[in-house]
Amino acid sequence: MIMIDEVHNLLAGTHREQRRFLNVLRYLSNELEVSLVCLGVSEAVDAIRGDIQLARRLDEHHLPNWRDDAEFSDMIQALIAAMPLEKKSNLKVKSLKRILALTGGVTSRIFALIKDLSIDAIITGEECITDAAIAKWTPVWSRHAKADPRIEKSGV
């Protein structure tokens, strides 16, 4: 299996560069007889569709954003448990809702948030992710952007 992340960046190239890259993918798939897994944002589909033969070989799967449910809570708990923290993090429901609001339910943002909070917890000696840390955490992707009115309105 060959995994290619951020395949949507293919669209930044010229038409000729795109064709070359797609031809290489098709060649690798044929010659090596391996499965291709291409990952990226929604534009990744457009990038792959540039080659009809390749597009026919690959199935599209979209990851939905996380929702406020037990599956989300379980994922957060598993993710925190995987962090090298000495103490258990006992987060309240309000903190889980804030994580969801801050990240929009986007997996990569959730992972970035938990990673940042874990690093902070180690540096401060807290050794766990606390409700207070989540309450004051500011996402990197919005530090220079206008605040999301939905977050402000929800009081999260």
Side-chain angles (χ1 to χ4, degrees):
M1 176 185 307
I2 296 176
M3 297 183 77
I4 303 164
D5 194 12
E6 298 191 19
V7 76
H8 54 273
N9 288 328
L10 166 65
L11 296 173
T14 65
H15 180 71
R16 184 179 175 133
E17 290 169 333
Q18 291 176 31
R19 299 294 319 146
R20 280 187 183 157
F21 185 75
L22 292 169
N23 284 337
V24 167
L25 290 182
R26 205 172 56 250
Y27 172 80
L28 289 172
S29 175
N30 289 337
E31 292 300 312
L32 300 179
E33 297 180 4
V34 295
S35 296
L36 294 176
V37 177
C38 298
L39 307 165
V41 297
S42 58
E43 288 83 10
V45 174
D46 297 331
I48 296 300
R49 285 184 184 156
D51 185 301
I52 300 299
Q53 292 177 10
L54 194 57
R56 287 182 186 152
R57 296 178 194 181
L58 300 174
D59 293 330
E60 296 173 23
H61 299 278
H62 300 272
L63 291 179
N65 291 354
W66 290 92
R67 296 184 320 264
D68 185 9
D69 57 16
E71 192 175 22
F72 173 70
S73 178
D74 291 347
M75 186 273 295
I76 293 294
Q77 289 175 25
L79 186 56
I80 291 173
M83 296 294 120
L85 300 171
E86 292 181 7
K87 298 178 188 172
K88 186 175 177 174
S89 301
N90 294 312
L91 301 177
K92 295 180 180 165
V93 172
K94 184 176 181 179
S95 291
L96 294 177
K97 289 183 183 296
R98 178 156 174 81
I99 291 170
L100 202 54
L102 286 168
T103 63
V106 176
T107 302
S108 62
R109 290 179 176 179
I110 294 168
F111 278 56
L113 180 149
I114 298 299
K115 181 187 84 172
D116 286 353
L117 290 173
S118 297
I119 291 169
D120 289 346
I122 292 168
I123 289 171
T124 63
E126 188 77 34
E127 289 297 334
C128 68
I129 296 173
T130 65
D131 294 312
I134 291 170
K136 68 180 183 179
W137 188 82
T138 306
V140 172
W141 54 87
S142 72
R143 288 183 186 150
H144 303 289
K146 197 174 186 179
D148 186 340
R150 293 174 297 170
I151 294 172
E152 291 174 358
K153 194 185 286 185
S154 70
V156 178

